[in-house]
Amino acid sequence: MHQEAWNEELQALREEALESLRLSVDEASLEAWRVRYFGKKSQLTAWSRQLGGMDPEERRAVGQQLNAVREVLESGYKGQLEEVRAQAIRHQLAAETLDVTLPGRARRVGTLHPTTRTIEEIEAVFLALGFTIAEGMEVETDEYNFEMLNVPKDHPARDMQDTFYLTDELLLRTHTSPMQVRVMKQIGPNQPLKVIVPGRVYRRDEDDATHSHAFAQIEGLVVGEGVRMSDLKGTLEAFAKALFGQQQSIRLRPSFFPFTEPSVEVDVRCIQCQGTGCRVCKDTGWIEILGAGMVHPHVLEAAGYDARRFSGFAFGMGPERVAMLKYGIPDIRLLYQNDLRFLTQFRRVLS
Ligand code: DAH
């Protein structure tokens, strides 16, 4: 080939390679381009091999041109590779851009049922006072639900707690009190204990604004040597202050329960009017929140405790009633109807 012809061939290759380089816009096609124009089977390599057979003058002239084309293509390749990589990073950054000025999407989080929430608040107060938590069964025996609690068959106190019977002996428990004897049997005999028992109980009552045939209770039991009525009062006063505020005070009124002697009803200052008198407290300034008393010796004995050495106090409360007072809920049935218009009012919004 003549000098001229070499020149033309080389310029043609250069143009073709540069055009092809411009169209190689990702790393894979750039690699294919590199193999095609610099690889073992490339035109440039083939021509370089031919240099050996040329006379010195021609070899120098063609060799120079070959090198010049190679350099142009090499630097073109490097430049294009950098550009392609930079472009890839720009694309990635653009795709991952986070506009922190956009308002967030608020998450609607489900929330605890007001009854559950109240039970957990009450539990937290007693846990802090050193109580443990136990749970019992909703199906109980007549023996634990009544007889061991000093309520023999035909006792008039049974009228207040009629329930659903599965058999003559098995029933849906009417209160959490049967757990008093079960817990004492488990931990005792003659061992001190402080326990609360949350759970669901049943009564054969007509449902109305303040009654439900199924409802929640929390039982409390403290047994030890030298446990006195003043312990009952102090504990329940601490509880009332923790739950309803430090300004709270309680009052005890004499009452009757077969499983305690003496028995009391415990009132707190009306949460609505702080004691000045209103509709909620029927102008008395006080609201009854639980029943309590000193554990009857018969109950201690039924659990195998020595009633001359050991004494205790017990209490029972309805967390739904507490929730109704705290949140101003006028009708207990609202707590059972699963109406979202009611329940979502207790929902927290997290954003
Ligand atoms: N069990 C009683 C009820 O359901 C509540 C109660 C009253 C529980 C006095 C007690 C207590 O432990 O000492 O009406």
Side-chain angles (χ1 to χ4, degrees):
M1 246 195 305
H2 283 299
Q3 192 65 36
E4 293 276 297
W6 272 115
N7 203 11
E8 262 176 43
E9 291 277 346
L10 277 164
Q11 292 323 311
L13 178 71
R14 191 181 108 132
E15 290 315 311
E16 177 205 308
L18 287 177
E19 174 61 19
S20 162
L21 187 60
R22 268 193 294 280
L23 299 174
S24 304
V25 292
D26 58 48
E27 287 204 40
S29 45
L30 268 175
E31 178 58 13
W33 184 94
R34 193 189 60 77
V35 170
R36 175 153 177 230
Y37 291 100
F38 287 107
K40 279 190 207 131
K41 294 177 186 159
S42 67
Q43 188 66 69
L44 275 180
T45 305
W47 284 339
S48 302
R49 283 202 195 101
Q50 289 179 28
L51 286 176
M54 296 178 187
D55 61 53
E57 203 172 314
E58 192 185 17
R59 185 191 307 153
R60 183 158 19 89
V62 174
Q64 268 177 10
Q65 287 185 346
L66 260 174
N67 279 341
V69 170
R70 192 194 309 276
E71 271 166 29
V72 168
L73 294 188
E74 255 172 19
S75 78
Y77 168 77
K78 280 185 194 144
Q80 180 75 346
L81 186 60
E82 270 174 31
E83 175 55 27
V84 160
R85 286 183 174 159
Q87 182 76 7
I89 288 174
R90 280 196 296 275
H91 274 136
Q92 192 181 351
L93 286 179
E96 290 174 1
T97 300
L98 193 65
D99 183 352
V100 293
T101 65
L102 275 177
R105 275 181 224 138
R107 298 235 170 260
R108 297 209 308 179
V109 179
T111 193
L112 295 176
H113 190 281
T115 305
T116 307
R117 191 150 132 185
T118 305
I119 291 171
E120 291 191 354
E121 274 176 43
I122 294 169
E123 285 175 351
V125 172
F126 284 105
L127 284 173
L129 290 173
F131 283 67
T132 55
I133 300 177
E135 278 184 48
M137 321 62 105
E138 294 174 19
V139 174
E140 258 298 356
T141 60
D142 186 276
E143 198 184 5
Y144 278 90
N145 194 82
F146 290 125
E147 287 182 46
M148 285 175 159
L149 292 173
N150 214 20
V151 186
K153 290 205 163 57
D154 305 322
H155 190 289
R158 288 203 180 204
D159 285 355
M160 308 251 302
Q161 299 197 5
D162 195 10
T163 184
F164 304 93
Y165 284 84
L166 287 87
T167 67
D168 280 351
E169 274 306 307
L170 281 182
L171 45 81
L172 295 185
R173 66 178 175 189
T174 58
H175 49 184
T176 43
S177 304
M179 280 303 286
Q180 289 187 20
V181 175
R182 288 197 183 278
V183 167
M184 280 191 277
K185 280 195 169 181
Q186 211 173 51
I187 295 178
N190 297 335
Q191 294 296 320
L193 59 88
K194 281 160 83 172
V195 66
I196 57 166
V197 185
R200 189 190 290 265
V201 302
Y202 300 83
R203 302 259 172 108
R204 239 190 74 180
D205 284 342
E206 290 291 334
D207 291 354
D208 63 24
T210 53
H211 294 84
S212 172
H213 62 281
F215 57 103
Q217 273 196 344
I218 298 181
E219 191 78 12
L221 177 66
V222 173
V223 178
E225 290 183 71
V227 174
R228 298 174 303 179
M229 190 94 181
S230 53
D231 297 315
L232 178 160
K233 192 177 178 196
T235 302
L236 294 179
E237 189 163 280
F239 160 72
K241 286 182 190 295
L243 202 70
F244 296 113
Q246 287 305 310
Q247 79 292 347
Q248 260 298 347
S249 53
I250 60 170
R251 113 182 144 167
L252 308 186
R253 283 179 290 114
S255 184
F256 172 80
F257 299 102
F259 34 90
T260 46
E261 181 59 35
S263 303
V264 290
E265 309 269 8
V266 181
D267 299 342
V268 291
R269 277 285 178 199
C270 178
I271 290 138
Q272 190 69 38
C273 65
Q274 271 78 44
T276 54
C278 69
R279 216 162 44 90
V280 173
C281 59
K282 300 198 182 79
D283 280 327
T284 63
W286 294 94
I287 289 180
E288 184 199 321
I289 56 159
L290 50 85
M294 300 307 291
V295 180
H296 197 290
H298 288 176
V299 177
L300 291 168
E301 280 157 11
Y305 274 66
D306 179 350
R308 283 162 309 176
R309 261 177 66 206
F310 281 81
S311 56
F313 68 85
F315 54 90
M317 71 179 94
E320 282 131 344
R321 189 168 154 67
V322 173
M324 289 165 74
L325 287 171
K326 265 194 100 154
Y327 300 121
I329 300 165
D331 191 319
I332 193 172
R333 289 169 291 195
L334 285 165
L335 295 170
Y336 286 97
Q337 287 160 342
N338 285 337
D339 186 333
L340 288 178
R341 289 170 302 180
F342 170 72
L343 292 175
T344 51
Q345 295 177 57
F346 298 88
R347 184 168 62 194
R348 291 159 301 159
V349 174
L350 306 180
S351 52

